[in-house]
Amino acid sequence: MTRTFAERVTEIEAGPCRLYVLPVPVEQVVTLRGSLRTWPDFATGETLVQRLTVAMLDRGTRHRDRFELAQLLEDRGAHLSFTSKGSRIEFSGRLLRRHLADVLPLLAEQLREPRFDPEEFEKARLHVQAQLQQQLEQTSTRARIALSQRLYPPAHPNYRRDPEAELERLATLTLEEVQAYHAAHFGANELILVLVGNVQPEAAEPLVRAAFADWPAHQATPRFAAEAAPKPPERVLIHVPDRQNLDVLMGHAVALQRQHPDYLPLYVGTYILGGNFSARLMATVRDEQGLTYGIHAALEGISTEHDGHFEIEVTLSQDRLEQGLEATLEQVQRFVDEGVTEEELAEKKDTLTGLFQTGLSTTSGLATALLINIERGFGPGYLDRYPEEIHAVTRQQVNDAVQRYLNPETLHTVVAGSVVEMIH
Amino acid sequence: MAVSEVFSEVGRQVEGFTFLEAAGGIEAYRLDTNGLQVLLMPQNVVPVVAFMITYHVGSRNEPTGLTGATHMLEHLMFKGTERFNKARGTSVFQVLQRVGAQVNATTWLDRTNYYALLPREHLALAVEIEADRMRGALIRPEDVEAERTVILNEMDRGENDPLRNLYHAVWSVAFVAHPYRHPTIGWRSDVENMTADALRHFYDTYYWPNNATVSVIGDFDPETALALVREHFGPIPRAPQPIPPVWTREPEQRGERRVIVRQAGQLGLVMIAFKAPAGLEPDADALDVLATLLSQGRNSRLYRRLTDAGLTTLVVAANERHHDPGLFYVVARLAPGKSHGEVENVLLEELERVAREGVSEQEVARAQQQLTALEAYGRDGPFAIAAQLNEAIALGDWKLYATYLDRIGQVTPDDVRRVAQTYLQEATRTVGWYVPENG
């Protein structure tokens, strides 16, 4: 009898850190994922300050400069990286098992004691500037930003600011602001660490405990809007010069959170519409009509704390724009009008549970799935429950959810690229 | 750390197969009836299995006028056979995605691969489908038409990216005769005019068991897997004619070449490429180490000289290993306000310094450690292993997968200096700039 994830994952309170260890019989490798809660103020655009703070984490600590820090990792072939993700900072890493005692203390040191060197701050600023400038020329990113602004208020975690506005703000940010942000928002709040691979709980626990033992929690509190505030639906053209391929997003807000019983039926329904190659949109708009290289439908940005949206992403060449939009809308309308068939539902339930199984075939896939579900408050046992929950979804539930939450008439359409009619 | 596995002469005796050799946890067999090569790598860590077939055909095999045929054919391979097709509700995607498989295919210079990562109990399905479409693809004119616009859109997508455009421009200038000069997706006019007949001919030339390698990786019983391969692939005959070799050899380059790509955008790019040896040559190992110590991590030479100094926001060195001699290159993204000229000068200065002064023991040791770890991480799960093994197969010897770390471990600082002197020469270099224009 195969043991369940609930049985295989060891959960330990290692000081202020919740440590989860899943030993997997792979050679040498340990994959690390984790996060902590920072609570930036979304309405005031504090996420940019957070992004810059995160960019300082691998630029030296109080105890070693950026080169010594990097050398410690590089000499061991280990990686650690940090990402700003909404109200959390996420970190991930890979290392060989024998380097656990070197890398875990370093992880804590980077999070807790960044060096904040003024020269390094300017370099970090330059990097973020370059990333934002690149966003200006990326059609998919521009479309995503524009759609988010149609659907959400600035205080919502899914709202994204224009690169131009971010660039302006970036130019005025100071090192002191970044230091103050670190002091006020970094701490052992909901600190989670997941280790998967050639690792045993008893080896990791004392290292994690020692690394984070006296790290206090910060006092920042949640400041975000949980609900979307969509503008009236319309078509928006974002002109990106010299980009012949058009990235198109169609979407509308969905007032639903991840833990709601309607979520999985709607998720399965959306997958039937546009989740994979054999889903309706790819089967028709690409495979039969040859209008696009890729078309997908998904629920985006829905969490256990805020709602999100329904989205169709399609890439279209200039001469196929109108035809592509029309064909897409026709499929969505048909989908909402007619609902899904028993056969489609059975097929996609098998697909989703099978994909879930293959997705867990790597240490990084396992670590990511564990972290996401621990953050959601579902716990490691959700990896056991998820396939059962998918299989329990009925056709009636899917069609009810589709009727309740999806409405083609409220779809916003954002087209980004060198749209011919925009050139004047 | 090196792979400790020794080459083994011991294999299973399985009816219909000849055991060839074993290395790095992989056993190699040949199907006697038709010469199909079969690689088995059993590991029961998780209950999934990767099944992959690699055809030894890529854009390297395409003549002018038929560029993009490899890639277009790969698309057509999903359009159905008599047995598995959409009209019957049994297309490859319908059948395999139904059981939760991750399914796709890729094409590149030297190879085409089709793979499925699926729950172990469904291995037979993947074997059956691949065997069926090895000779049973319909390649109907109407499917070619529908797929042509899909591919043209894929091409448009790619061309939105200046880095991709610069990369292809450099390859197409660096090579004048060898087919590595054209992108795998093909030239637009060839894709626009490709016919079903031409694709059928291409298929009939290259899609045969004696021009393919099957790999099974993950949780499976080796004897059962071999029996499945024999059952489904066994009846397929060998190619009726020899697989045509590529005889075009790139003429010696005797002077620097330069290319400029202009497109609207924000930050410029500089790419400097040098002619490099074929992927199986021992010098390629030293070039891998060189690429690593040049650009991997904050302590790498180019990072310190360029990115840390605020001249670039990204710098990457890479030694692309291919079947035939390819390119070793560095590519850098300019920091805001910096010029192409100053970045190019620093890049060249640093490359010349390696050739002139050599590199330290410590740098080589660090690069070896980084490559070792990268390799270990790259073997995380059956699919990742398949992806790595696929590239070794493409070079012409799957055992490179098994011996790679040993080979890297043998590289010395003298080797690195020697290959820098040998290959990083002005005469064999191609310099490309992406110059953003404000649209």
Side-chain angles (χ1 to χ4, degrees):
Chain A
M1 178 82 191
T2 313
R3 291 170 66 215
T4 62
F5 284 104
E7 291 164 342
R8 290 165 63 200
V9 176
T10 305
E11 179 179 353
I12 304 165
E13 293 290 331
C17 178
R18 272 191 297 150
L19 170 67
Y20 297 82
V21 182
L22 173 59
V24 173
V26 292
E27 268 184 54
Q28 306 183 55
V29 176
V30 181
T31 293
L32 169 164
R33 291 278 186 283
S35 69
L36 58 92
R37 188 80 93 154
T38 48
W39 293 126
D41 185 352
F42 290 94
T44 62
E46 222 171 31
T47 44
L48 183 66
V49 190
Q50 174 164 299
R51 183 169 171 181
L52 210 52
T53 310
V54 169
M56 295 301 292
L57 298 182
D58 64 354
R59 293 175 177 271
T61 68
R62 270 189 226 157
H63 309 285
R64 53 196 110 218
D65 70 18
R66 63 196 185 281
F67 293 123
E68 293 163 340
L69 173 67
Q71 191 177 345
L72 204 152
L73 293 167
E74 287 165 17
D75 283 352
R76 289 160 181 77
H79 289 277
L80 279 179
S81 63
F82 303 86
T83 323
S84 168
K85 253 195 177 164
S87 64
R88 287 188 170 89
I89 302 297
E90 292 197 352
F91 37 92
S92 71
R94 290 216 270 199
L95 55 144
L96 303 179
R97 165 194 150 109
R98 61 182 180 276
H99 298 139
L100 208 59
D102 303 318
V103 175
L104 286 177
L106 193 66
L107 168 70
E109 191 179 309
Q110 287 186 263
L111 283 168
R112 300 178 63 175
E113 303 175 280
R115 197 177 183 95
F116 292 124
D117 177 272
E119 269 185 42
E120 288 303 302
F121 174 71
E122 290 308 325
K123 290 181 201 165
R125 189 208 302 270
L126 196 69
H127 267 256
V128 174
Q129 182 189 334
Q131 288 166 353
L132 290 168
Q133 278 186 246
Q134 268 184 274
Q135 284 187 359
L136 285 169
E137 64 181 49
Q138 291 164 348
T139 46
S140 57
T141 311
R142 295 292 298 275
R144 202 154 291 288
I145 291 169
L147 182 65
S148 83
Q149 295 180 357
R150 306 283 319 156
L151 304 181
Y152 301 103
H156 196 287
N158 292 343
Y159 181 89
R160 294 183 63 176
R161 291 182 147 64
D162 285 327
E164 293 95 335
E166 294 281 75
L167 281 165
E168 260 180 50
R169 172 77 180 105
L170 181 72
T172 64
L173 269 180
T174 63
L175 178 57
E176 288 67 36
E177 282 176 89
V178 167
Q179 280 178 291
Y181 186 83
H182 183 267
H185 293 265
F186 276 56
N189 300 58
E190 299 176 48
L191 176 61
I192 300 163
L193 181 61
V194 176
L195 298 174
V196 178
N198 197 329
V199 56
Q200 294 302 322
E202 50 277 16
E205 193 265 345
L207 296 169
V208 175
R209 187 180 293 278
F212 292 107
D214 52 350
W215 200 18
H218 62 71
Q219 301 304 313
T221 50
R223 282 167 298 172
F224 67 95
E227 289 168 12
K231 295 175 179 159
E234 63 174 339
R235 190 197 282 197
V236 180
L237 305 176
I238 306 291
H239 181 64
V240 185
D242 220 352
R243 296 296 182 274
Q244 292 310 302
N245 184 63
L246 307 173
D247 272 303
V248 178
L249 285 180
M250 304 165 97
H252 67 60
V254 172
L256 185 66
Q257 296 191 356
R258 178 62 182 80
Q259 68 279 25
H260 193 283
D262 286 346
Y263 178 82
L264 276 188
L266 187 63
Y267 172 72
V268 176
T270 309
Y271 200 88
I272 291 170
L273 174 65
N276 65 2
F277 212 103
S278 51
R280 289 193 188 185
L281 289 173
M282 279 292 262
T284 53
V285 184
R286 169 173 158 154
D287 206 32
E288 282 169 21
Q289 301 169 59
L291 293 170
T292 178
Y293 175 67
I295 181 165
H296 303 279
L299 296 176
E300 294 287 342
I302 293 178
S303 80
T304 48
E305 284 151 3
H306 55 74
D307 55 14
H309 66 272
F310 163 71
E311 176 183 292
I312 296 158
E313 184 177 14
V314 55
T315 157
L316 294 169
S317 294
Q318 293 281 349
D319 56 346
R320 296 283 193 285
L321 177 61
E322 294 306 327
Q323 213 184 336
L325 292 177
E326 210 173 293
T328 304
L329 275 175
E330 192 186 318
Q331 289 303 322
V332 180
Q333 191 65 54
R334 210 191 110 212
F335 174 74
V336 173
D337 290 347
E338 298 171 9
V340 307
T341 64
E342 283 293 358
E343 200 184 343
E344 283 177 311
L345 177 62
E347 178 194 327
K348 289 296 186 267
K349 287 204 277 194
D350 287 345
T351 300
L352 286 167
T353 49
L355 268 183
F356 184 70
Q357 190 182 336
T358 54
L360 300 181
S361 65
T362 64
T363 58
S364 57
L366 282 164
T368 303
L370 281 170
L371 178 64
I372 289 170
N373 288 296
I374 292 162
E375 284 178 350
R376 284 172 175 160
F378 294 177
Y382 191 69
L383 272 55
D384 302 309
R385 294 196 303 278
Y386 174 81
E388 295 163 19
E389 290 190 8
I390 290 285
H391 275 303
V393 170
T394 67
R395 181 180 172 213
Q396 190 65 48
Q397 287 172 333
V398 172
N399 287 338
D400 287 350
V402 167
Q403 284 298 318
R404 194 168 305 139
Y405 296 99
L406 303 190
N407 180 2
E409 285 172 16
T410 61
L411 282 172
H412 296 249
T413 301
V414 180
V415 181
S418 303
V419 189
V420 176
E421 60 196 284
M422 282 295 290
I423 287 172
H424 55 83
Chain B
M1 186 171 121
V3 168
S4 55
E5 202 85 27
V6 288
F7 286 82
S8 164
E9 296 299 323
V10 187
R12 312 162 201 272
Q13 296 297 312
V14 181
E15 190 196 331
F17 288 93
T18 302
F19 169 75
L20 301 173
E21 52 196 336
I26 298 173
E27 300 166 20
Y29 296 85
R30 189 180 55 236
L31 185 55
D32 295 332
T33 52
N34 56 27
L36 177 73
Q37 187 180 46
V38 183
L39 305 178
L40 303 181
M41 189 179 195
Q43 43 168 228
N44 56 352
V45 176
V46 284
V48 303
V49 60
F51 182 79
M52 171 173 75
I53 185 159
T54 308
Y55 289 97
H56 304 275
V57 58
S59 53
R60 165 180 183 271
N61 302 86
E62 297 164 350
T64 300
L66 288 179
T67 68
T70 308
H71 173 252
M72 208 156 175
L73 178 58
E74 176 240 291
H75 277 236
L76 267 295
M77 291 289 283
F78 288 94
K79 288 291 197 177
T81 62
E82 287 296 343
R83 194 106 193 271
F84 294 99
N85 62 62
K86 199 166 153 190
R88 298 178 59 177
T90 58
S91 75
V92 173
F93 281 114
Q94 285 168 319
V95 172
L96 286 176
Q97 289 188 335
R98 162 96 203 217
V99 300
Q102 293 180 30
V103 191
N104 217 329
T106 73
T107 50
W108 208 16
L109 306 183
D110 305 314
R111 50 74 184 163
T112 307
N113 71 322
Y114 301 81
Y115 60 84
L117 175 69
L118 67 179
R120 65 179 166 196
E121 60 272 24
H122 300 297
L123 173 63
L125 203 53
V127 180
E128 189 181 352
I129 282 176
E130 286 311 340
D132 176 64
R133 65 174 165 174
M134 176 179 268
R135 294 302 322 142
L138 295 172
I139 317 182
R140 292 173 297 212
E142 61 268 32
D143 291 333
V144 174
E145 287 319 308
E147 214 53 26
R148 189 190 314 283
T149 46
V150 169
I151 293 169
L152 288 170
N153 182 238
E154 184 181 4
M155 193 177 274
D156 282 346
R157 254 167 74 100
E159 288 173 4
N160 268 14
D161 178 10
L163 176 58
R164 177 252 182 226
N165 295 336
L166 175 66
Y167 175 87
H168 285 310
V170 167
W171 279 81
S172 66
V173 169
F175 291 90
V176 297
H178 193 280
Y180 284 169
R181 73 188 313 268
H182 69 261
T184 300
I185 199 166
W187 299 124
R188 185 175 292 269
S189 45
D190 290 352
V191 173
E192 283 168 348
N193 290 290
M194 190 79 65
T195 63
D197 282 347
L199 289 175
R200 160 67 60 187
H201 179 73
F202 199 79
Y203 176 68
D204 286 344
T205 307
Y206 296 106
Y207 278 53
W208 296 97
N210 51 313
N211 196 39
T213 301
V214 153
S215 307
V216 194
I217 300 150
D219 190 4
F220 65 94
D221 170 58
E223 286 176 21
T224 311
L226 286 174
L228 278 171
V229 170
R230 186 182 57 229
E231 178 190 344
H232 295 289
F233 285 93
I236 304 173
R238 297 176 69 90
Q241 68 284 322
I243 307 296
V246 174
W247 53 63
T248 305
R249 201 173 51 240
E250 180 64 19
E252 184 188 1
Q253 182 178 342
R254 299 187 59 176
E256 186 194 68
R257 295 174 191 161
R258 301 188 71 91
V259 59
I260 292 182
V261 172
R262 293 185 198 277
Q263 184 178 11
Q266 296 288 324
L267 300 171
L269 296 161
V270 173
M271 179 167 172
I272 304 177
F274 300 87
K275 291 285 168 49
L280 289 178
E281 294 294 322
D283 279 357
D285 303 325
L287 285 168
D288 278 4
V289 172
L290 174 59
T292 305
L293 66 82
L294 281 174
S295 75
Q296 277 291 314
R298 261 177 213 281
N299 283 296
S300 62
R301 290 182 172 221
L302 297 178
Y303 184 91
R304 289 181 84 125
R305 262 312 291 282
L306 287 155
T307 304
D308 193 62
L311 287 172
T312 60
T313 57
L314 173 84
V315 59
V316 175
N319 178 44
E320 278 198 16
R321 300 178 81 140
H322 296 293
H323 187 279
D324 300 332
L327 293 177
F328 175 96
Y329 59 78
V330 291
V331 60
R333 190 185 296 283
L334 308 191
K338 300 300 172 192
S339 76
H340 290 81
E342 61 184 317
V343 168
E344 182 183 326
N345 287 341
V346 176
L347 283 170
L348 290 174
E349 208 178 291
E350 281 304 313
L351 296 176
E352 280 156 16
R353 189 193 307 277
V354 174
R356 195 173 60 243
E357 299 169 10
V359 296
S360 70
E361 290 274 359
Q362 191 199 11
E363 282 177 291
V364 171
R366 185 186 303 139
Q368 287 165 328
Q369 181 63 38
Q370 286 173 306
L371 285 167
T372 303
L374 209 62
E375 201 66 9
Y377 304 148
R379 295 175 184 196
D380 187 5
F383 175 66
I385 292 171
Q388 285 197 357
L389 183 58
N390 186 43
E391 301 312 336
I393 295 167
L395 296 190
D397 185 1
W398 66 268
K399 290 193 299 299
L400 180 64
Y401 173 87
T403 57
Y404 183 67
L405 290 180
D406 275 339
R407 292 171 60 139
I408 290 298
Q410 285 163 15
V411 172
T412 66
D414 284 345
D415 292 330
V416 174
R417 184 179 184 184
R418 179 179 50 76
V419 295
Q421 287 170 346
T422 308
Y423 298 101
L424 309 189
Q425 294 195 6
E426 188 270 341
T428 63
R429 112 183 145 211
T430 301
V431 179
W433 288 8
Y434 158 58
V435 180
E437 287 181 328
N438 292 319

